[in-house]
Amino acid sequence: MVSKSPELEHPKPAFGWAARDQSGLLSPFKFSRRATTENDVAFKVLYCGICHSDLHMTKNEWGVTQYPIVPGILEQYVSIVNWLLASRPVPLRHVHEIVGIVTEVGSKVEKFKVGDRVGVGCMVGSCHSCDSCHNNLENYCPKMILTYGAKNYDGTITYGGYSDLMVANEHFIVRIPENLSLDVGAPLLCAGITVYSPLRYFGLDKPGMHVGVVGLGGLGHVAVKFAKAMGVKVTVISTSPSKKQEAVENLGADSFLVSSDQDQMQVAMGTLDGIIDTVSAAHPVLPLLALLKSHGKLVLVGAPEKPLELHVFALISGRKIVGGSCIGGMKETQEMIDFAAKHNITADVEVIPMDYVNTAMERMLKGDVRYRFVIDVAKTLNP
Amino acid sequence: MAKSPEEEHPHKAFGWAAKDTSGILSPFHFSRRDNGVEDVTIKILYCGVCHSDLHAVKNEWGFSRYPMVPGHEIVGVVTKTGSNVMKFKVDDRVGVGVMVNSCKSCEYCHQDLENYCPKMIFTYNAQNHDGTKTYGGYSNTIVVDERFVVRIPDGMPGDGCAPLLCAGITVYSPMKYYGMTEPGKHLGIVGLGGLGHVAVKIGKAFGLKVTVISSSSRKEREALDRLGADSFLVSNDPAKMKAAFGTMDYIIDTVSAVHALAPFLSLLKTNGKLVTLGLPEKPLELPIFPLVLGRKLVGGSDVGGMKETQEMLDFCAKHNITADVEVIQMDQINTAMERLAKSDVRYRFVIDVANSLSQSQL
């Protein structure tokens, strides 16, 4: 049986930009969205953030990309997931940063109405019956469906937010409060929840605590803002001394530590209750463990592909922990958005037109963005 | 000029010590301090042989000082008490574990976490406040601050209790700290040795389902029939391991050799916790993806504070938990160490100090 073309798969015409091959270059692409079922919400996309992993996926750096691919999602860890879960379909982990205005709601939808300001997190489906789903942890459901590059339950491929229109189940949609602008709110749906969830889960959110943030990029800058809003003292740990002024004066970090400076690192030993490590390149863990007080927690939210060296003695002698975290469940994502709105936390963004996206990807590769590109989809995505 | 071990302190003592990195132990004369106002003097009856003793006598961690009298699983009777001592009296049966002192003034000491005090002093191979070395329990007597002495509950056998002072608290403390005490949850225990076998018993006493994970199947009957584990998983069997992926709430990893963590992380459910207790000489490889994708964590733990050590002993007494021991004579210690290196013991050697040490005196 010949599968239908993307334009004919579903009844609603849609338009976006997709990567066609490993060059990763994106260009206009016609496809289609499903009809709005009774539990669905359809919305006109206004903005979409660009996550670093969109870059990895469009260039097929993990070897799993199915072209054409409409990104708008952060895809990571596929090759390792394949290895870990060889007998199960690969659950691609994605993060999503799509916001817009509701245009249509299904007959059973209760939480949203036309005109509402909404966003889609990293997921568009889950099984609703496993332990994780029952505990509002859809992000850890083994059958979770990522917003792009994944298979819907009907077998069609999901397409992400570099497009004019999204249709998703109401369960996976969050409301964006009025006082949170959509352009600066979009990245919170990925970067925001990725750092908010572990601050809460690992208990690094108590006023007076001292938390380090490693890496000052999309994730790191938002981590500083959330932690400060929680009353936590924040030290940014970075390899670039040039980011110090930015960290302290613009983002409100209490101090800045250059990780390659042995003297600074020595003085800071045993001072941190926790560390949120956003760096996905391989890096040594031992110096970070040394910065922790006893009972401190190192939480990784970036995931290096290769294993890191763990000096077990460093964990044992201070009863320290190394943990990981991956985005957050829908309930917590809404909680995070509401918290951000209440505390005026927004991402620092550079808004770009759709046709700048390839240049943006190149700049992102070099870390040349402060700190997230957001595509002004509504105004610049023209069929 | 530094005094000889025999002359350092006023009271003669005798034990067995390692003199160099060969780790071979032999008779050794030294001395113990006067019994201070907060001290108790203990006549040692039993001392467990902990795997750490083996690492230490061979300088496998690089900070051994010789001559070294190991031993930190000590059971004995009080023979003298200082004037300020409140908790003990002469003839009480007591135990001493891994520490003999701490600063008593830091936040950890104030929270009954002396084991995390930066100035904590180990029972052996460490330095006292007066600069002299600490010597451990492969000896006839020890003088210890009462804070670092625990009572052995009535009715518990001294030899079966000795290993609890290190092995017991080493597994009990993380089980409490990491919340591994919910009845019905599933605990995996990697390695069935001194730590592992006690972890099985304590895990069952907490009402957990317990799976022993071992590299060989020869321990299976033992684990299931005698120790009471619910199931047994051979870690070298890829099919069996795969079938067990994502089934465990927690794992206690007692293995001290270098080994792969990845397969054990796969056994954990989402939000699962792996606690590593063994002290390999080299770093382990830690894959990050499983931690991130499943919000899993790897944590460490280092014995326990004195309050918790007493709590552990009382818990063990209540649940009739003792270590499985092979009692040996002092002069069999070197052979025992060789067998320990091959894991040829079920599951702890305990030196019958009272009945064999003096006979070995030259």
Side-chain angles (χ1 to χ4, degrees):
Chain A
M1 188 176 95
V2 176
S3 56
K4 289 185 175 168
S5 77
E7 278 187 79
L8 300 173
E9 265 178 340
H10 297 292
K12 280 179 155 55
F15 175 74
W17 276 44
R20 304 307 212 276
D21 56 43
Q22 284 186 340
S23 68
L25 291 173
L26 295 128
S27 56
F29 172 68
K30 288 184 186 165
F31 62 110
S32 49
R33 294 284 187 198
R34 67 170 182 262
T36 309
T37 68
E38 56 192 9
N39 291 312
D40 281 339
V41 172
F43 66 94
K44 172 180 160 66
V45 178
L46 296 185
Y47 296 99
C48 183
I50 302 183
C51 285
H52 200 110
S53 295
D54 294 350
L55 190 55
H56 291 304
M57 269 304 272
T58 52
K59 293 184 177 224
N60 194 22
E61 283 173 3
W62 289 303
V64 294
T65 301
Q66 309 267 8
Y67 294 104
I69 187 165
V70 177
I73 201 151
L74 177 67
E75 204 280 326
Q76 284 184 345
Y77 326 140
V78 175
S79 56
I80 301 299
V81 172
N82 270 325
W83 163 64
L84 283 177
L85 302 167
S87 61
R88 290 190 243 169
V90 175
L92 306 174
R93 299 286 161 172
H94 289 72
V95 174
H96 214 158
E97 303 183 339
I98 318 175
V99 294
I101 305 281
V102 177
T103 53
E104 189 185 350
V105 297
S107 56
K108 289 199 173 149
V109 168
E110 293 182 4
K111 293 196 293 178
F112 302 100
K113 57 187 193 309
V114 171
D116 278 350
R117 304 159 86 249
V118 295
V120 166
C122 30
M123 320 169 261
V124 291
S126 72
C127 81
H128 298 297
S129 57
C130 68
D131 276 346
S132 290
C133 285
H134 284 142
N135 286 307
N136 296 307
L137 295 171
E138 300 87 350
N139 48 320
Y140 299 113
C141 167
K143 298 192 175 143
M144 183 268 280
I145 297 179
L146 297 153
T147 307
Y148 99 79
K151 275 219 166 95
N152 272 315
Y153 294 126
D154 66 5
T156 59
I157 303 290
T158 54
Y159 291 117
Y162 291 13
S163 64
D164 55 354
L165 174 71
M166 275 295 297
V167 179
N169 183 294
E170 128 178 82
H171 186 87
F172 295 92
I173 295 199
V174 290
R175 180 188 310 286
I176 313 283
E178 288 296 327
N179 69 315
L180 185 53
S181 292
L182 293 180
D183 52 351
V184 293
L188 297 180
L189 293 164
C190 155
I193 186 60
T194 296
V195 300
Y196 180 90
S197 186
L199 283 168
R200 291 291 192 212
Y201 179 69
F202 289 94
L204 300 177
D205 56 350
K206 315 275 178 292
M209 280 191 155
H210 187 176
V211 170
V213 174
V214 185
L216 199 62
L219 295 180
H221 89 288
V222 172
V224 174
K225 296 187 186 198
F226 274 115
K228 288 304 299 168
M230 292 167 178
V232 166
K233 176 175 166 186
V234 175
T235 293
V236 169
I237 302 155
S238 171
T239 50
S240 330
S242 56
K243 293 188 177 179
K244 179 175 177 176
Q245 194 176 3
E246 175 69 18
V248 172
E249 291 175 21
N250 291 352
L251 297 172
D254 296 276
S255 58
F256 189 90
L257 194 47
V258 178
S259 47
S260 48
D261 183 325
Q262 304 277 33
D263 294 332
Q264 280 188 30
M265 291 290 276
Q266 178 88 10
V267 168
M269 275 174 65
T271 56
L272 301 178
D273 295 287
I275 294 173
I276 302 284
D277 184 351
T278 73
V279 174
S280 44
H283 57 288
V285 154
L286 185 59
L288 297 176
L289 290 175
L291 293 176
L292 292 173
K293 297 175 184 172
S294 282
H295 308 106
K297 301 164 191 173
L298 170 61
V299 184
L300 292 129
V301 293
E305 277 175 44
K306 294 205 164 56
L308 302 182
E309 258 193 4
L310 178 66
H311 294 76
V312 170
F313 192 81
L315 285 189
I316 286 179
S317 66
R319 192 159 64 176
K320 297 177 184 176
I321 282 170
V322 180
S325 184
C326 183
I327 45 179
M330 292 318 302
K331 183 164 177 249
E332 194 173 37
T333 304
Q334 183 68 66
E335 178 191 300
M336 175 277 304
I337 289 283
D338 295 340
F339 181 92
K342 180 172 168 193
H343 294 273
N344 284 322
I345 296 171
T346 57
D348 292 0
V349 303
E350 182 176 331
V351 180
I352 59 161
M354 187 77 235
D355 61 11
Y356 190 76
V357 68
N358 292 312
T359 309
M361 292 283 202
E362 280 171 35
R363 284 181 51 198
M364 197 164 62
L365 194 56
K366 292 181 257 173
D368 175 25
V369 56
R370 203 182 293 147
Y371 289 100
R372 269 292 205 247
F373 288 111
V374 169
I375 306 169
D376 185 346
V377 175
K379 295 209 185 84
T380 66
L381 179 66
N382 303 311
Chain B
M1 198 174 83
K3 289 186 178 170
S4 77
E6 278 190 79
E7 292 161 343
E8 268 178 338
H9 298 292
H11 300 284
K12 291 215 187 319
F14 174 68
W16 277 47
K19 311 306 192 355
D20 55 45
T21 57
S22 70
I24 307 279
L25 295 121
S26 56
F28 173 68
H29 294 271
F30 62 109
S31 48
R32 293 290 190 191
R33 67 171 184 263
D34 263 333
N35 197 91
V37 297
E38 288 174 356
D39 289 337
V40 298
T41 299
I42 300 167
K43 172 182 150 74
I44 297 176
L45 300 177
Y46 296 103
C47 188
V49 178
C50 178
H51 203 119
S52 300
D53 298 348
L54 180 55
H55 288 302
V57 295
K58 293 187 172 225
N59 194 22
E60 283 173 5
W61 293 318
F63 56 86
S64 296
R65 296 266 187 278
Y66 300 100
M68 178 195 303
V69 176
H72 55 210
E73 296 183 335
I74 305 169
V75 168
V77 284
V78 176
T79 56
K80 194 165 178 184
T81 60
S83 53
N84 287 349
V85 167
M86 307 287 284
K87 294 197 295 178
F88 303 104
K89 53 189 195 311
V90 170
D91 290 337
D92 278 351
R93 242 174 19 135
V94 294
V96 176
V98 164
M99 320 174 264
V100 288
N101 217 335
S102 70
C103 81
K104 301 185 191 169
S105 58
C106 69
E107 56 177 317
Y108 302 109
C109 288
H110 285 315
Q111 292 173 62
D112 299 311
L113 294 171
E114 300 90 346
N115 47 324
Y116 298 112
C117 167
K119 298 197 176 137
M120 181 269 284
I121 297 178
F122 289 114
T123 303
Y124 69 86
N125 194 37
Q127 218 176 48
N128 277 312
H129 291 137
D130 65 5
T132 59
K133 245 200 297 200
T134 55
Y135 294 114
Y138 294 14
S139 62
N140 56 352
T141 177
I142 190 167
V143 179
V144 185
D145 181 305
E146 80 166 321
R147 181 167 170 164
F148 296 88
V149 178
V150 286
R151 179 182 313 285
I152 304 295
D154 292 335
M156 284 192 97
D159 52 0
C161 229
L164 297 179
L165 292 160
C166 176
I169 186 61
T170 295
V171 300
Y172 181 88
S173 185
M175 287 173 80
K176 296 295 293 280
Y177 181 68
Y178 290 98
M180 304 180 178
T181 55
E182 257 186 83
K185 296 279 187 176
H186 188 179
L187 168 68
I189 297 170
V190 187
L192 197 61
L195 292 181
H197 90 287
V198 173
V200 173
K201 297 185 185 196
I202 294 180
K204 290 306 300 170
F206 279 132
L208 303 173
K209 174 179 165 181
V210 173
T211 294
V212 169
I213 305 156
S214 174
S215 52
S216 90
S217 57
R218 63 185 169 88
K219 294 185 178 179
E220 180 165 2
R221 288 273 55 90
E222 177 69 16
L224 297 176
D225 300 340
R226 225 174 50 74
L227 294 172
D230 297 280
S231 57
F232 189 90
L233 186 51
V234 179
S235 51
N236 294 335
D237 185 331
K240 296 241 167 73
M241 285 290 279
K242 193 160 155 195
F245 277 5
T247 59
M248 297 181 192
D249 296 282
Y250 343 98
I251 289 175
I252 289 189
D253 182 355
T254 72
V255 174
S256 53
V258 170
H259 60 287
L261 285 176
F264 304 127
L265 290 173
S266 300
L267 294 174
L268 288 172
K269 296 176 182 174
T270 296
N271 298 322
K273 301 169 187 173
L274 185 148
V275 178
T276 175
L277 301 175
L279 286 166
E281 295 146 47
K282 293 198 167 59
L284 301 184
E285 274 193 357
L286 178 68
I288 305 300
F289 278 53
L291 298 186
V292 172
L293 289 181
R295 197 161 63 176
K296 300 177 184 179
L297 65 85
V298 175
S301 184
D302 189 7
V303 298
M306 294 318 302
K307 184 167 174 237
E308 195 171 40
T309 304
Q310 185 68 65
E311 178 190 302
M312 175 276 304
L313 281 176
D314 297 338
F315 178 90
C316 287
K318 182 174 163 190
H319 294 275
N320 279 324
I321 294 171
T322 55
D324 294 356
V325 302
E326 183 177 328
V327 180
I328 60 165
Q329 309 288 290
M330 188 74 243
D331 62 5
Q332 294 173 311
I333 184 62
N334 291 311
T335 309
M337 288 286 197
E338 280 170 32
R339 284 179 53 198
L340 180 57
K342 292 180 263 177
S343 299
D344 174 25
V345 54
R346 204 187 292 144
Y347 288 100
R348 264 295 204 250
F349 290 112
V350 171
I351 306 167
D352 184 352
V353 174
N355 292 323
S356 69
L357 180 61
S358 53
Q359 287 87 318
S360 71
Q361 201 162 354
L362 293 167

